[in-house]
Each structure stands twice: as C-alpha cells, then as structure tokens.
Amino acid sequence: MKLLPRIDAEGGAEWLARTATLCLIDEARLSPKPGLVDSRGNGAHHDLTLELMERSAHSLTPTFQALAQQSWRRPADVALRQTIGRLGREGEQQMMAATGGVNTHRGAIWALGLLVSAVAMSGGNAPAQEIAATAAKLAQLPDDAAPKLFSKGLRATHRYRVPGAREEAQQGFPHIIKLALPQLQHSRQRGSNEAQARLDALMAIMTSLSDTCVLSRAGLEGLEAMRHGASAVLQAGGVASKAGQQALAELDARMLALNASPGGAADLLAATLFLDRMTTPYLAN
C-alpha cells in the first residue's frame, strides 16, 4: 500500500488533489475509447475536446485539495457530508467557468470527490475496499443543501428505473471494486501494457453499468450496444489481442453511429485509476 509522502493534512491534501487531477487527465488521454473524447478526437461529442477536458481537470485541483483538507482524519457525519456537498458544488461552478459552461466532469466531481475525502478521512492509508466503503458512508448521509432540480442523469435513472451515480457511490462503487480493479490487475498480470489494461478496465465497467450518459443520448438500444460490445472485447482476449482490438473498433463505430458516449463509465475509470494509485506503489507518485 502506498503511504502519503507527508502524513499531515496540508501535504497529504496537496498530493491527493494532484493525484486526482492526473487521473482525470490520464482517463481523458487514454485511447481508443468508444464514443468518448480521447487523444484521437472528440468521439460522439460536438462540444468537448481533449484540451477542454484537461483544462477542466486542472480547474478541479483546488476543489480536491479543499475536500481533502476538510476531511483529514474526520469521521463520516452529516456535517462533513454537507461540507463536501458545498465544496463539490463550488467546484462544479469553477469547472463551468473554466469550460465556458460545458459539463465536462460533473460526475467525476461526485465520484472522485467522495474518494478523495474517504482517503483523507483515513489519513491516507487504507485498502481500496475500505476507501470505497468509507465513501459509501458519506454518500448515504443527507445533504439538505443539495439542489432539487433533476440532472440529465437523474432523469435517465427515473425514466429507465436504473441505478445511477448516486446509487453506485452509496453501494461502495461495486463497478470499481468488483469489476474494474480486478480486471486492471488481471490484464497487467497477463502482459498487457498499461494503456491496454486500463482500456480493459473500462470495458469491464461497461459490461454492466447503467450508464446514464448513454441512456440520455441513445436509450436502451445504446445501453445494450455498449454492454454487448464491451463484453465482446473482453471475451476476445482484451485490448492486447488483435481480436479484442477489432471488437473495440466495432464498439467504437457502433457508439458513434448511435451518438452515444459512455461518460459515466469514463468517470468510474478515472476513479478506478485514483484508487489504483492509492494502493499500487509503483504507480503512486
């Protein structure tokens, strides 16, 4: 397990914020991702670019640092939950200012923000499952100041009666703990390079996630196409294999044809990379 370079609130918070930002950038640059912004281009988006995603990530560094500072060695209680909610909303405003009003990382602020806080609550030293469980405790607590208006994601969860980002966090991020992290480690162990292993982890998330970004843009047809296509990539041997690469290209083409972009899965991949860096010494720096 990786220990924080300095075990005080200031140094630890700065390190956590920098790490969370780097994970957002790593996710954005990872290629080829089906329907998503990556180093090749804009995917299914007309208002997003890689440069915009990176600018957004950097704009969130102060938010992640404030979250870590406020959470350092504190217990999960309503007061902390409401502080986290307020800082997250302020971070969203900073993100929107940096991107000219484009929603680049709203879902990532929720997932990564909770996980940054959870790591800080432990003083920087806890296994991934414990971090996720602590984040779940926070997510289950009420935040009376949270806006009552429905986002696109919330509308999709109600329309299709599926769990969304809120439920994923409240359940301890099962798509990360049970799917993405094991797949990431498995792909590394069988010789995949880091980009291939991370793409396999993304596929693992996409095999079962009720991605509200896909549902909002392409309905149940898009969701089934995403799940089926991601499963086909892994069944073909993953992205390290030629058959897996072909299946990934077919999934990408299908997502683009449906104008679907699995942004929810991308947010969880960034969170996966963050948890991985917390517990894998050679990546945590």
Side-chain angles (χ1 to χ4, degrees):
M1 185 183 305
K2 178 66 178 180
L3 301 180
L4 288 180
R6 293 170 57 189
I7 55 173
D8 57 69
E10 183 180 355
E14 181 182 353
W15 182 76
L16 285 171
R18 185 171 68 250
T19 302
T21 300
L22 288 174
C23 289
L24 287 177
I25 293 172
D26 284 347
E27 182 281 314
R29 292 177 178 174
L30 182 66
S31 301
K33 298 196 303 290
L36 289 158
V37 174
D38 59 22
S39 295
R40 301 170 304 161
N42 303 350
H45 295 277
H46 301 294
D47 57 349
L48 297 180
T49 64
L50 181 57
E51 187 274 335
L52 193 68
M53 297 294 286
E54 293 189 13
R55 190 193 317 159
S56 171
H58 285 296
S59 78
L60 292 173
T61 303
T63 295
F64 292 136
Q65 186 162 349
L67 286 166
Q69 288 172 333
Q70 291 294 321
S71 303
W72 195 261
R73 297 195 181 278
R74 283 185 60 179
D77 57 26
V78 172
L80 178 58
R81 172 67 183 90
Q82 294 183 347
T83 296
I84 288 171
R86 175 179 57 79
L87 290 172
R89 289 186 289 275
E90 291 172 359
E92 184 177 321
Q93 292 174 355
Q94 293 167 1
M95 174 196 75
M96 290 294 195
T99 63
V102 179
N103 172 23
T104 43
H105 285 124
R106 182 178 288 147
I109 294 172
W110 167 249
L112 265 176
L114 284 169
L115 292 171
V116 165
S117 292
V119 174
M121 290 164 69
S122 74
N125 302 302
Q129 192 161 357
E130 183 179 323
I131 295 168
T134 300
K137 290 180 182 178
L138 283 173
Q140 291 163 10
L141 292 169
D143 178 9
D144 294 338
K148 302 298 188 278
L149 296 176
F150 273 14
S151 64
K152 289 183 179 179
L154 279 175
R155 284 197 292 270
T157 64
H158 282 256
R159 177 181 178 183
Y160 296 103
R161 298 183 180 180
V162 297
R166 179 182 299 173
E167 291 77 14
E168 176 74 16
Q170 291 174 339
Q171 294 167 13
F173 294 101
H175 283 85
I176 298 176
I177 299 299
K178 297 180 180 180
L179 295 175
L181 279 175
Q183 182 64 59
L184 185 65
Q185 294 158 4
H186 175 68
S187 294
R188 287 171 179 160
Q189 289 167 358
R190 70 183 182 189
S192 299
N193 64 35
E194 191 58 24
Q196 292 166 344
R198 291 175 177 183
L199 286 167
D200 284 349
L202 176 63
M203 295 301 107
I205 294 168
M206 290 167 57
T207 58
S208 72
L209 185 70
S210 298
D211 194 311
T212 56
C213 295
V214 171
L215 284 169
S216 295
R217 295 169 68 105
L220 289 173
E221 180 185 4
L223 186 68
E224 286 305 309
M226 178 194 80
R227 290 176 170 178
H228 178 77
S231 296
V233 174
L234 295 179
Q235 290 169 4
V239 180
S241 70
K242 288 187 177 180
Q245 292 166 15
Q246 178 60 37
L248 180 60
E250 292 172 0
L251 175 58
D252 188 28
R254 181 66 173 149
M255 291 289 97
L256 292 176
L258 291 169
N259 192 37
S261 180
D267 291 337
L268 289 180
L269 178 62
T272 298
L273 299 181
F274 177 76
L275 276 181
D276 183 54
R277 283 178 179 266
M278 295 299 102
T279 53
T280 306
Y282 73 90
L283 286 178
N285 50 44

